Amino acid sequence: MSIPSFGVGTFRLTGQAAIDSVRNALDVGYRAVDTAQIYGNEAEVGQAIAASGVKRSELFVTTKIWTENYAKGKLVASLRDSLQKLRTDYVDLTLIHWPAPGNGVALAEYMEALAEAKALGLTRQIGVSNFNIELTRQAIAAVGKGEIATNQIELSPYLQSHKLTAFLKEQGIAVTSYMTLAYGKVLKDPVLAKIADKHQATVAQVTLAWALQLGYAVIPSSTKRENLASNLLARNMTLDAGDMAQIAALERNGREVSPEGLAPAWD
């Protein structure tokens, strides 16, 4: 995988909460941080990284371009602005945040602008987020096979997206899972609780371990230092075939995020 398998997410974190979360994450061992222009916290993420003392070369920073910046004349400038906020000369990965069909900018235009940002050295890798199979095909056609590092998509035990993840694997595109805990809904699941009890683990650890074993990258977030540290332990867990089968059976197409005007027709 060309991207780290475990990172810290910053969705919905602003101000001091964002600074503290990233600072604590880096302190307990995270080395990948995921943010986005629309989160409104790039400056706070940059502040926390700068204060951490961790070398930039040891970090993997991801941001996402927001829809209003998709036009060819805007995308690169908006990324330069993001870099300024993040206090860095480059990010490791830049994603198109949502396909936003019908927003007036053609997919080929924004993908080519994203490729230009990479050519300029503003980002090491490029990718997409919330793209279905057809739009991912179009993105590959626009920038070339092997150029798209990841598709960051909502995935959880309740939303497993088998068709899309199989397609991405076939194309050599890494899957990054967000909302892996389904806004915390999985934490109350009796099946997962039983598996967690068997492994003397938390439900969050079991859920993250499930995603990791399927080959996905995960980016859970938390404002609590103890949860950040606990989630990281999922990397050391091994679920057996029975555990994985029980989790596979939890699929219910339980999508949490699908904003009108931004989301595609899901597979």
Side-chain angles (χ1 to χ4, degrees):
M1 188 182 286
S2 56
I3 57 170
S5 62
F6 214 107
V8 65
T10 60
F11 176 54
R12 290 189 161 177
L13 300 182
T14 55
Q16 195 60 44
I19 294 168
D20 291 345
S21 177
V22 174
R23 177 177 51 81
N24 282 321
L26 295 176
D27 203 35
V28 300
Y30 288 76
R31 289 297 177 265
V33 182
D34 180 276
T35 183
Q37 292 176 342
I38 196 63
Y39 296 173
N41 63 16
E42 288 174 315
E44 286 81 359
V45 169
Q47 183 180 330
I49 287 172
S52 72
V54 179
K55 289 180 187 170
R56 177 65 185 90
S57 59
E58 293 176 14
L59 294 173
F60 191 99
V61 181
T62 300
T63 196
K64 309 177 200 81
I65 305 293
W66 189 240
T67 56
E68 65 191 23
N69 299 320
Y70 284 3
K72 185 171 174 56
K74 290 185 177 180
L75 191 146
V76 166
S78 80
L79 183 54
R80 288 191 197 278
D81 186 47
S82 291
L83 296 183
Q84 198 168 11
K85 290 174 182 171
L86 289 162
R87 307 189 194 188
T88 183
D89 297 330
Y90 68 95
V91 282
D92 298 274
L93 176 65
T94 304
L95 307 177
I96 294 295
H97 204 151
W98 285 91
N103 82 332
V105 183
L107 182 148
E109 180 179 336
Y110 62 65
M111 288 308 301
E112 285 164 14
L114 191 61
E116 182 191 350
K118 181 182 174 183
L120 290 168
L122 306 178
T123 184
R124 297 275 170 91
Q125 297 183 79
I126 60 173
V128 296
S129 184
N130 300 299
F131 276 43
N132 64 11
I133 292 172
E134 176 53 32
L135 294 175
T136 305
R137 282 192 205 279
Q138 291 178 30
I140 293 167
V143 296
K145 195 166 171 64
E147 279 300 298
I148 295 171
T150 192
N151 186 359
Q152 185 178 122
I153 55 176
E154 181 188 344
L155 278 176
S156 77
Y158 300 151
L159 180 73
Q160 298 184 27
S161 296
H162 295 296
K163 277 171 70 176
L164 177 55
T165 56
F167 169 77
L168 294 171
K169 185 176 180 181
E170 178 190 297
Q171 296 297 318
I173 296 172
V175 174
T176 302
S177 163
Y178 75 81
M179 216 72 77
T180 317
L181 305 180
Y183 272 144
K185 288 179 182 175
V186 300
L187 302 179
K188 298 170 188 152
D189 190 283
V191 172
L192 294 168
K194 195 172 176 184
I195 296 169
D197 190 48
K198 169 181 154 185
H199 289 273
Q200 296 185 301
T202 67
V203 170
Q205 286 167 351
V206 166
T207 307
L208 294 167
W210 161 80
L212 291 170
Q213 273 184 232
L214 289 173
Y216 309 152
V218 294
I219 44 169
S221 65
S222 181
T223 55
K224 296 179 180 174
R225 183 186 175 95
E226 59 269 29
N227 288 349
L228 288 164
S230 174
N231 287 345
L232 211 49
L233 297 175
R235 297 179 303 175
N236 307 325
M237 279 192 71
T238 303
L239 302 175
D240 62 35
D243 300 330
M244 295 296 282
Q246 286 183 72
I247 299 173
L250 296 176
E251 165 65 50
R252 62 189 195 201
N253 197 31
R255 189 176 299 282
E256 300 290 335
V257 184
S258 189
E260 196 176 338
L262 298 179
W266 301 109
D267 296 303

